Amino acid sequence: MKFTLSWLKEHLDTDADIAAVAEAMTMAGLEVEEVHDPIAALAPFTVARIVSAERHPNADRLQVCQVETVDGVKEIVCGAPNARAGLTTIYAPIGAFVPGLGVTLVEKPVRGVVSNGMLCSASELELADESDGILELSDDLTVGTPAAGVFGAEPVIDFEVTPNRPDWLGVAGIARDLAAASLGQLRTPPVVPVAGRYPSPITVRIEAPEMCPTFSGRMIRGVKNGPSPEWLQQRLTAIGLRSINRLVDVTNLIAYDRCRPLHVYDAAKLVGGEIVVRGGQVAKDSGEHEHLIALDGKTYTIDPAICVIADAGGERPIGLGGVMGGESTGCSDDTVDVFLESAWFDPILTAQTGRTLAISSDAQYRFARGVDPAFMVPGLELATRLILDLCGGEPSEVVVAGQALADPAPFAFDPARVGQLTGLSLDEDRIAEILTRLGFEIARGASWRVTPPSWRRDVEGPADLVEEVARIQGYDDLPSTPLPDQGAPSRGVLNPRQARVRRARRALAAMGYAEAVTWSFTKQSTAALFGGGDDRLLVENPIAADLDCMRPSALPNLIQAAARNAARGHADAALFEIGPVYLDDSPTGQRTVIAGLIAPRSARHWGGGAEEALFGLKGDLMALLEELGAPVGSLQLVQGQNRDWWHPGRSARLQLGPKTVIVEFGALHPRVLKALDADGPMLAFEIVLDAVPEPRGAKSKARGPANIANLMPLTRDFAFVVEDGKAVGDLVRAAAGVDKTLIAEVRVFDVYRGPGVPGGMKSVALEVVIQPVEATLTEAGIEALSARIVAAAGKLGATLRT
C-alpha cells in the first residue's frame, strides 16, 4: 500500500514531515517498508532553456546546443530529435546521477565536442517508462526552477498491510489511526449524497447471496470521458498506478483513498437492462465451463465456485465479482452513459477466486480482506460526486439489492483488563479516548459495552481492545519487568522422545544423509499408493491442489524430493525426514516416523551395484536402531509381508512379535516410482518411532571406562549349506549367540547358489571375529568354539559345506 504525504494531509491536519509520519506509523503497528523521496533524487535537476541548436560537425544525429541554465550558458551535446532553439526543458549538471540511466555525468567529449551537462527526457528522470525525446515544458517556467517543484514530486510511503486490517488499505484509515496516536486531527470530510434525478433503467438481481450479499449501483447519463486532470494523474502516478481515463481513475482513487473498490460499466454495452449476480455456469449438453475475456485481455475459465456478474438476463458474463470486469463492457473515451457499481463480495470466496485464476487486482486484494460493508453506498455517492465534477452527467437514483451485513455486535469490556494484560497504568478516560478516536462506540457505566465500528470486524473481544489501546498508547510505554531468578540452570528439558529424535538426526547426518523438511500433506492419489487417501484425511482448504490429503507415509515426499534432485543433475541422493504421518488405524490418528531414502546412482563399476546398496542401507538402519536403544538382538526379520509399495522380493521388516512392527525397509516397488515420475532403483526404510521401546533404566550421562582389548583378534570362516528359504539373519544370530564373550562379530561375506550346492539350497559363508579377553586362545580352544558354532547352525538345519 502506497500513499503520498499530501494525500495523507487531506485526511489528517498535521505539520509532521515524512520521517515523523513513518515513525508514528511504525509505533502504531503499521509495518513501513520504504520511504521514497523523489525530491532528493531530483535535487540536481533544474529548468533550462535552449538558446540555439546547431548540427554537430561530426555526427548527423547530434546537435550542439547553447543552453541557458542555473549555472549560466552551457554548451551541451544532445541527440534528441526535438531539441530546438527556444525549448524549455530539464538540465542535469556534471556530477548529477541520472536515475533512468544509472550513471553519473562526467565531463567528456562527444564526437570531439565536450558536453557540459545533459538535457533530460521523462524516462531518464523515471517520470515515464519511455520517451521519444527530451522533456518539453511550459515557456512560463523560470530558468533554475527545481525539477521537483515542476513535476509535483513528493515523498511516498510504502507499507505492508496485515490481512486483518483492510481499513489500512485506504488513506483515510491510516489517517484515523495516526490521529488516534496524536499525530494530528482527523479531518476526513463527510460524504454528501447526490440526489438522483430519475429511476435507474438498469436493475440488479442477486442469485447467489452467499457470494455477494448486497449490491448497489446507479446510472449516470451524458458523461464526457477523457484524460484525467493533472492533479489526479499525478496522484495516481506517484503511487505507481497508470492513469487510464477519468472514469477509471475515479474508481482507482476511491479504492486507495477509502478502501472502497468500485467498477464502472459502459451502459450502452449492457444487454437486457439488468445486472445479475450468480455463480459460474456449466453447459448441460457439453459440460464446458463458461469463459470471460477480462479487462487485462486474458481469457479466464469460470467454474461454479466463482462469482460472476452477468447481463442479458443472466446469460452473458461481464465480470468476475470482486476481482475484475470484462472487456465487453469496459469504458472508453467514447463512453456517454455509465453504470457505477459498488458491492460487497465474500472475502474467502474472492481470495479463492484470485488463487484459482492467478489474479491479484487491487479490487481482489481489498475484497479478499473484507472491506467496510457500511461504506458501500457512501462510496457510490462519493464516486458519483467526483464523476459529475470531472465528467459531468446526470445521475439516477441509487439501486440497492440484497441484504446488508449486520453491524458488529457489542460486548462487555472491563477497562481494568488493560492493566492486567499489559501493565500499563491508564485511567478510564484515556482508554475511552483512544477507543473513541479509533471509531469504537462506548456505553460507560458499571460495566462498559463496546461496539466495534463496521470497518473493524477483526475485533471480537476484550483482548482485541487491549491490543488497540496498547499500540496507540505506544509499545515503548509498556513497563519492563525482569524475569524472575530461576536458580540453577536447567539440566535439560527434552523428554525421552525428543532426545531420541535428536540422536537419530545426528546419527543419520553423520552417515551422510541430508535432512529434508517436507509438507505433512500430499496428493490424495499419491496417498492412495501408500495405503492412505481416505476422505476423512482430506484437507478442507488446501494450500495447493496437489497438497489436499494428510500423508500416510513420509516416503512419497522423499521420493519426489529425490526425483527433483535427479532432474537437476544430482541423482545420487541420500535423504531422511523425521515427522508425523496420519493413519486411521492409529489410536491418535498420528504417528512419528523416521524415514530414510537412497537413490544409488554411483559411477559404473564391475562390483557392488544394487545388492551392495541394499546391504549398505540395512547397515545404516541397524546402526540407527542401536543409537536409538532398540533391542536389536531381539528383532525378528520377516520377508514377504511388507505392504504394497515395497518390492516383494527385495524388502523385509523388523518386528518384535507379529503385532509390533518396528521398521519396514528395502527396495521401493517400480510401480510406485513410475506413478511418482521417479527413476529407480530407490531404497528406503521407515521406522515407527512410537513402536520402538524405550531402553530399560536411565542411562548414565557419565562415560564408563574404555573397554579396549589388549589381545589380537582372530577370524574363522564357515560355509554352511542351508535351505534357500531360510533367513541368513537367523544363521548369523545363532553363530553370534554361541559365546557372547569371545565372539565379537559375525559377518556374511558370500551367498552362493549353483553347481556343487543341491537344488533348493544355498551356501552361506560367514566370517566369525573372535576376540580373546583374558588369554590367547589355544588351537584346542579355537576348535572347541568352532564345533559349538557348527552345532548351533545344525539346529537350524544347516550343515558344514565340504
Side-chain angles (χ1 to χ4, degrees):
M1 173 67 185
K2 297 180 179 180
F3 65 92
T4 61
L5 184 59
S6 65
W7 195 344
L8 175 69
K9 290 185 176 182
E10 289 191 359
H11 296 277
L12 184 70
D13 187 5
T14 180
D15 295 327
D17 60 10
I18 195 70
V21 170
E23 175 66 17
M25 289 176 64
T26 300
M27 298 310 296
L30 289 85
E31 184 180 344
V32 176
E33 292 191 336
E34 181 186 12
V35 177
H36 175 63
D37 190 357
I39 297 176
L42 293 176
F45 303 90
T46 55
V47 172
R49 183 171 292 109
I50 300 176
V51 178
S52 65
E54 298 179 358
R55 188 171 65 85
H56 193 291
N58 301 320
D60 293 339
R61 296 186 179 182
L62 298 178
Q63 297 186 75
V64 179
C65 302
Q66 302 300 320
V67 183
E68 182 185 357
T69 74
V70 68
D71 301 321
V73 176
K74 297 286 185 179
E75 186 172 73
I76 297 175
V77 178
C78 181
N82 62 332
R84 62 185 184 274
L87 178 65
T88 302
T89 186
I90 295 296
Y91 155 73
I94 298 297
F97 177 78
V98 183
L101 299 178
V103 298
T104 300
L105 298 181
V106 295
E107 185 176 334
K108 65 178 182 178
V110 180
R111 295 289 185 94
V113 178
V114 175
S115 183
N116 298 287
M118 178 180 177
L119 302 180
C120 301
S121 67
S123 61
E124 288 162 346
L125 297 180
E126 294 188 335
L127 301 175
D129 294 333
E130 56 185 26
S131 303
D132 295 329
I134 59 176
L135 284 159
E136 297 191 19
L137 305 178
S138 172
D139 294 336
D140 297 336
L141 292 172
T142 304
V143 171
T145 302
V150 173
F151 303 116
E154 58 178 321
V156 177
I157 290 181
D158 184 6
F159 73 100
E160 185 67 27
V161 179
T162 56
N164 66 320
R165 292 302 304 270
D167 56 307
W168 283 346
L169 288 168
V171 179
I174 303 165
R176 183 188 303 111
D177 274 29
L178 293 179
S182 301
L183 192 69
Q185 293 295 320
L186 187 66
R187 65 176 188 183
T188 299
V191 177
V192 180
V194 178
R197 301 181 184 177
Y198 55 91
S200 173
I202 298 175
T203 59
V204 178
R205 174 162 52 93
I206 298 178
E207 293 183 352
E210 72 282 0
M211 296 179 171
C212 175
T214 181
F215 188 110
S216 66
R218 78 184 328 161
M219 180 88 163
I220 305 177
R221 295 190 305 214
V223 300
K224 184 178 180 180
N225 202 8
S228 294
E230 188 68 23
W231 70 266
L232 181 51
Q233 292 189 38
Q234 287 184 359
R235 176 155 294 181
L236 297 179
T237 303
I239 61 172
L241 295 181
R242 181 172 59 91
S243 176
I244 299 174
N245 56 51
R246 297 173 192 170
L247 292 171
V248 176
D249 288 356
V250 164
T251 63
N252 287 334
L253 177 70
I254 295 177
Y256 277 79
D257 188 69
R258 301 295 185 93
C259 189
R260 166 34 59 185
L262 304 161
H263 186 66
V264 61
Y265 302 89
D266 188 329
K269 299 176 182 178
L270 293 173
V271 179
E274 181 185 42
I275 286 180
V276 179
V277 184
R278 59 170 174 81
Q281 294 180 346
V282 180
K284 295 181 180 179
D285 51 350
S286 63
E288 292 186 2
H289 291 68
E290 60 185 343
H291 296 79
L292 172 73
I293 302 176
L295 287 171
D296 60 0
K298 298 179 181 179
T299 301
Y300 296 98
T301 301
I302 306 172
D303 63 46
I306 293 176
C307 181
V308 172
I309 311 298
D311 66 356
E315 293 299 319
R316 184 182 71 150
I318 59 173
L320 303 170
V323 178
M324 187 175 292
E327 189 179 75
S328 61
T329 56
C331 294
S332 67
D333 289 349
D334 299 327
T335 298
V336 177
D337 299 333
V338 298
F339 184 81
L340 184 61
E341 166 202 302
S342 180
W344 195 90
F345 298 95
D346 180 78
I348 294 178
L349 185 141
T350 306
Q352 291 173 338
T353 299
R355 287 198 297 266
T356 301
L357 301 180
I359 300 177
S360 181
S361 63
D362 285 338
Q364 187 269 346
Y365 187 77
R366 284 161 172 77
F367 279 124
R369 282 156 176 75
V371 301
D372 181 8
F375 198 72
M376 181 183 72
V377 173
L380 181 71
E381 299 281 10
L382 184 60
T384 301
R385 176 64 63 189
L386 275 172
I387 290 175
L388 295 181
D389 291 343
L390 299 178
C391 306
E394 186 180 25
S396 75
E397 297 172 351
V398 174
V399 176
V400 179
Q403 185 67 38
L405 271 70
D407 291 332
F411 54 84
F413 175 64
D414 182 1
R417 292 285 287 167
V418 173
Q420 294 168 2
L421 294 182
T422 68
L424 290 170
S425 298
L426 302 178
D427 57 40
E428 293 188 0
D429 290 341
R430 174 56 180 161
I431 295 172
E433 177 190 7
I434 292 175
L435 295 177
T436 303
R437 285 187 174 186
L438 291 173
F440 294 88
E441 295 181 3
I442 302 175
R444 298 176 65 172
S447 62
W448 287 19
R449 296 286 293 176
V450 179
T451 304
S454 58
W455 59 84
R456 291 301 307 273
R457 294 177 181 269
D458 60 302
V459 176
E460 298 177 346
D464 296 322
L465 296 181
V466 173
E467 180 184 4
E468 294 300 299
V469 172
R471 71 179 183 87
I472 296 299
Q473 178 64 25
Y475 291 126
D476 51 348
D477 283 354
L478 294 175
S480 59
T481 304
L483 293 174
D485 185 9
Q486 298 296 320
S490 172
R491 295 178 177 267
V493 295
L494 296 181
N495 60 37
R497 174 188 292 266
Q498 292 170 328
R500 297 177 92 180
V501 167
R502 174 178 286 186
R503 289 199 300 271
R505 182 174 286 114
R506 291 179 174 177
L508 286 167
M511 295 175 193
Y513 290 76
E515 184 173 11
V517 180
T518 68
W519 296 107
S520 294
F521 322 110
T522 188
K523 196 173 183 179
Q524 186 179 17
S525 58
T526 301
L529 296 172
F530 290 81
D534 191 282
D535 289 345
R536 289 174 293 180
L537 294 179
L538 289 179
V539 181
E540 290 186 0
N541 187 21
I543 60 175
D546 57 349
L547 296 173
D548 61 347
C549 185
M550 306 303 292
R551 66 180 183 184
S553 167
L555 294 179
N557 291 350
L558 290 181
I559 294 171
Q560 291 171 325
R564 286 192 296 270
N565 277 277
R568 289 160 176 79
H570 303 282
D572 193 11
L575 306 173
F576 79 93
E577 181 174 8
I578 305 175
V581 297
Y582 303 88
L583 302 169
D584 286 336
D585 59 352
S586 173
T588 62
Q590 178 176 322
R591 293 176 181 171
T592 301
V593 299
I594 304 173
L597 179 141
I598 60 174
R601 303 285 194 281
S602 57
R604 286 170 24 176
H605 192 267
W606 63 270
E611 290 292 336
E612 182 182 3
L614 184 56
F615 283 118
L617 177 81
K618 182 183 177 185
D620 293 343
L621 173 61
M622 301 306 292
L624 177 60
L625 291 173
E626 289 273 10
E627 183 67 23
L628 294 177
V632 176
S634 303
L635 295 179
Q636 302 171 355
L637 186 136
V638 179
Q639 293 180 274
Q641 295 186 19
N642 276 17
R643 288 171 286 189
D644 295 341
W645 54 92
W646 297 102
H647 194 298
R650 303 187 62 222
S651 62
R653 63 168 53 170
L654 296 173
Q655 59 187 37
L656 284 171
K659 293 185 178 181
T660 307
V661 178
I662 303 295
V663 58
E664 291 183 339
F665 69 98
L668 291 161
H669 202 292
R671 169 183 55 83
V672 172
L673 297 180
K674 183 178 180 181
L676 297 180
D677 197 22
D679 294 332
M682 288 190 182
L683 314 174
F685 62 82
E686 192 165 41
I687 302 172
V688 182
L689 188 59
D690 310 72
V692 180
E694 296 282 351
R696 293 183 180 178
K699 289 186 177 181
S700 172
K701 292 188 178 181
R703 292 188 178 184
N707 186 16
I708 301 176
N710 57 359
L711 299 173
M712 289 291 293
L714 65 144
T715 62
R716 285 293 182 269
D717 294 345
F718 300 86
F720 292 106
V721 177
V722 67
E723 293 181 6
D724 200 7
K726 178 68 69 176
V728 176
D730 295 342
L731 198 61
V732 171
R733 280 191 292 272
V738 168
D739 192 325
K740 295 183 179 180
T741 302
L742 291 177
I743 298 177
E745 188 178 2
V746 179
R747 293 190 288 258
V748 179
F749 65 88
D750 184 49
V751 177
Y752 171 74
R753 301 174 183 85
V757 177
M761 308 293 281
K762 62 184 175 183
S763 173
V764 180
L766 303 180
E767 180 186 38
V768 180
V769 180
I770 303 171
Q771 175 62 65
V773 179
E774 297 179 352
T776 302
L777 293 177
T778 63
E779 189 66 28
I782 295 173
E783 290 298 329
L785 182 62
S786 299
R788 291 166 60 193
I789 292 174
V790 172
K795 294 180 181 180
L796 298 177
T799 59
L800 199 63
R801 183 180 174 188
T802 57

